[in-house]
Amino acid sequence: MPRTRPGADSRDETDPPRGGRSRAGAARLSPEGQLLVGPALRARAAPPSADARLLAIATEHLRRLGHRQVTVVGVAAEAGMTHANVYRYFPSKTALVDAVAGRWLREVETELAAIADAPDPADDKLERLLLALSTLQREVLVRDPHLFAVHRDATVESRPIARRHRGRLRALVERVVEEGINGGAFLLRDRERALAFIFDASHRFVHPASIQLDAEVPRDLIEARFGAVIRAILRVLRTGAL
C-alpha cells in the first residue's frame, strides 16, 4: 500500500490547498465569509471601469449642484484624472450629463417594456403605459429635479439621448397598437396617423416641458385630466375614426 503523508487525508477534498490557492486559481474570502474562486473572484475584485466611475461622480455632482454647476474639471478632479482624460470617454460636459440622464431613461424604458410585454388586453396596456410614462417623469421631477432638468433640456433641444428615447417609446406604443389591431381591439385605417394622434393627444401629460409647467398642479387633478384624454384616445382607436 502506498504511504501517505501524515494528515494528508484529514483535509476535505473541497478545501482550498494551503497557501490560498485552489484548483481553479486564486481563492479569497468575501467580507461575508463566502469563498470566492475563479470567475466569482475576478468579478468581485474587478474595479469599476473609468467611464462608470465618471458617471457615478457626475451623478452625485448633478444631484448636489445642478446641471449648470457641474464641470468636467470638478468631475475629473474627484476621479483623480485630468479633465483631458475625461474627454476620452465623454466628448463634452453635455455628453456627460446626458449619459447620467440616459441611465435613468433606460430604467424608465424597462418599466414601460414590462407593461408592453404583459399578457393583458392591448387597450389596457396602452392606458397603463401612457400613465406610467407621465407618472415616472413627475416622480423624478420631485425626487431629483436636476436630473429632470437635463431630461427636459435634452428633449426640447432634441439631443441624441432624447431622440433615442423617443424612438424606443414609439416602438413600444407601436407594438401595443399592432397587438390591438391583430386582436380586434383597435380598428385603424391609417396606422401612422393613429400613432401620431396618440402622441399628439397625450403631449401635455408626457412631454417634460409640459410636465414642468404643470409642476404645481395637484397629482390627482393631473391624473383625472389625463385619464379623460386616454379614454378619448381609446375611443378613437376602437371605432376606427383614424
Side-chain angles (χ1 to χ4, degrees):
M1 177 180 296
R3 299 181 61 187
T4 59
R5 298 190 313 275
D9 59 353
S10 63
R11 181 165 42 85
D12 184 56
E13 193 66 24
T14 60
D15 288 346
R18 292 179 178 86
R21 303 288 296 182
S22 75
R23 291 179 179 81
R28 192 176 69 184
L29 289 179
S30 72
E32 297 81 15
Q34 178 184 6
L35 182 66
L36 301 176
V37 180
L41 173 60
R42 290 193 293 273
R44 190 68 174 251
S49 62
D51 56 342
R53 283 198 303 126
L54 290 170
L55 274 178
I57 294 168
T59 299
E60 192 276 328
H61 283 207
L62 178 64
R63 182 171 291 118
R64 179 164 50 87
L65 303 173
H67 68 292
R68 302 193 188 282
Q69 300 302 317
V70 172
T71 65
V72 172
V73 171
V75 172
E78 187 165 334
M81 62 176 68
T82 66
H83 69 280
N85 200 31
V86 175
Y87 291 127
R88 293 176 54 200
Y89 302 95
F90 303 98
S92 65
K93 169 189 162 178
T94 297
L96 178 58
V97 295
D98 278 2
V100 174
R103 292 200 303 182
W104 167 67
L105 288 174
R106 285 191 291 275
E107 294 174 3
V108 171
E109 291 159 9
T110 298
E111 292 198 38
L112 298 180
I115 295 173
D117 292 336
D120 303 312
D123 49 357
D124 180 61
K125 289 199 290 189
L126 182 59
E127 178 178 6
R128 291 196 293 117
L129 193 152
L130 292 174
L131 285 172
L133 177 58
S134 177
T135 300
L136 290 169
Q137 292 182 88
R138 291 181 184 282
E139 287 176 349
V140 83
L141 173 59
V142 173
R143 183 179 71 249
D144 199 341
H146 297 311
L147 175 62
F148 182 87
V150 175
H151 167 51
R152 179 201 62 216
D153 291 352
T155 303
V156 170
E157 297 168 15
S158 195
R159 298 202 296 253
I161 189 69
R163 292 198 302 271
R164 289 193 293 270
H165 177 60
R166 187 164 57 243
R168 295 181 187 118
L169 287 180
R170 177 186 168 87
L172 289 173
V173 172
E174 188 170 12
R175 188 198 311 172
V176 174
V177 168
E178 182 73 22
E179 184 180 319
I181 295 171
N182 293 336
F186 300 150
L187 302 174
L188 303 180
R189 291 179 290 179
D190 188 320
R191 187 173 311 173
E192 288 301 314
R193 285 180 60 194
L195 288 170
F197 171 71
I198 292 169
F199 285 104
D200 288 347
S202 61
H203 181 278
R204 178 64 183 264
F205 303 95
V206 301
H207 192 284
S210 296
I211 289 173
Q212 181 84 66
L213 288 173
D214 284 340
E216 302 303 320
V217 179
R219 177 170 176 168
D220 58 346
L221 181 56
I222 289 290
E223 290 178 350
R225 288 166 50 194
F226 194 21
V229 169
I230 291 174
R231 287 192 294 274
I233 291 172
L234 293 176
R235 187 160 52 247
V236 168
L237 297 181
R238 288 168 179 149
T239 59
L242 291 174

